[in-house]
Amino acid sequence: RFTILETGFGLGNNFLATWQAWRQDAQRCEQLVFISVEKHPFSRADLSAAHQGSPWTELAAALVDAWPSLTPDLHTLSFEGGRVRLLLAFGDIQAWLPQLTARVDAFYLDGFAPAKNPAMWEPRVCKALARLAAPGATLATWSAAHALREGLRSAGFAVVKAPGSGGKRDITLARFEPTFVPRHAPARQTAQAA
């Protein structure tokens, strides 16, 4: 199993690109779990319209067909006979992160700058991500804001600024490498495979 947590589903482009990459990887994991939090989800009609001409036509159509009601819940969508699971948490990131129990291997952080959505980038969000991170978990975001990098460092991530693309000068990459690993409370521990 490989688990990804995204902090802003938007149109689902990251999910679709990841699903396609998983499909094309001959050495893919048995199960891909993609958890995403979205405060302002699109309607099914708007999602469908946005994916007209998508590079992932088949996958985008499957996502639109499975799109849940816009209730503030955790919605589980299954694809590929259950081998690809999308868990959509509709609501505020600060409300959802404390409720999630997962062992996350990779994080995709919302691309909007901290100045446009400051609540999404607060240090307590970085600490909540660290609580969910598996050892060595990776993280990527378009944001290269100093405050974000410092928040990630203080939460146990080794952070580097990397060259961006598509007109973006710099991006942030990180790996979870805490110097101290606290024990997790029993209620927060995930079941280990036997």
Side-chain angles (χ1 to χ4, degrees), residues 30-85:
E30 181 63 30
Q31 185 176 50
L32 174 64
V33 178
F34 198 101
I35 306 164
S36 190
V37 180
E38 177 57 53
K39 187 173 185 177
H40 304 289
F42 285 89
S43 69
R44 181 188 306 259
D46 289 342
L47 188 69
S48 179
H51 281 296
Q52 295 301 317
S54 169
W56 314 285
T57 307
E58 175 192 351
L59 304 182
L63 175 62
V64 170
D65 287 346
W67 196 244
S69 61
L70 302 184
T71 57
D73 297 312
L74 181 63
H75 305 274
T76 303
L77 287 62
S78 291
F79 306 96
E80 307 280 351
R83 293 182 65 204
V84 174
R85 290 184 41 221

Side-chain angles (χ1 to χ4, degrees), residues 102-186:
R103 191 168 176 83
V104 177
D105 300 295
F107 295 91
Y108 300 162
L109 300 190
D110 190 292
F112 290 110
K116 292 187 182 204
N117 192 357
M120 198 116 158
W121 302 98
E122 290 182 357
R124 68 181 178 163
V125 170
C126 295
K127 287 182 168 94
L129 298 176
R131 178 186 65 79
L132 297 169
T138 58
L139 180 146
T141 179
W142 283 97
S143 177
H146 177 75
L148 168 65
R149 291 194 315 268
E150 287 307 309
L152 290 170
R153 279 189 189 102
S154 71
F157 288 89
V159 179
V160 296
K161 194 184 324 182
S165 63
K168 184 78 168 93
R169 188 180 68 200
D170 299 314
I171 64 170
T172 299
L173 302 176
R175 180 174 298 278
F176 187 60
E177 298 175 354
T179 55
F180 171 74
V181 180
R183 284 186 355 180
H184 290 285

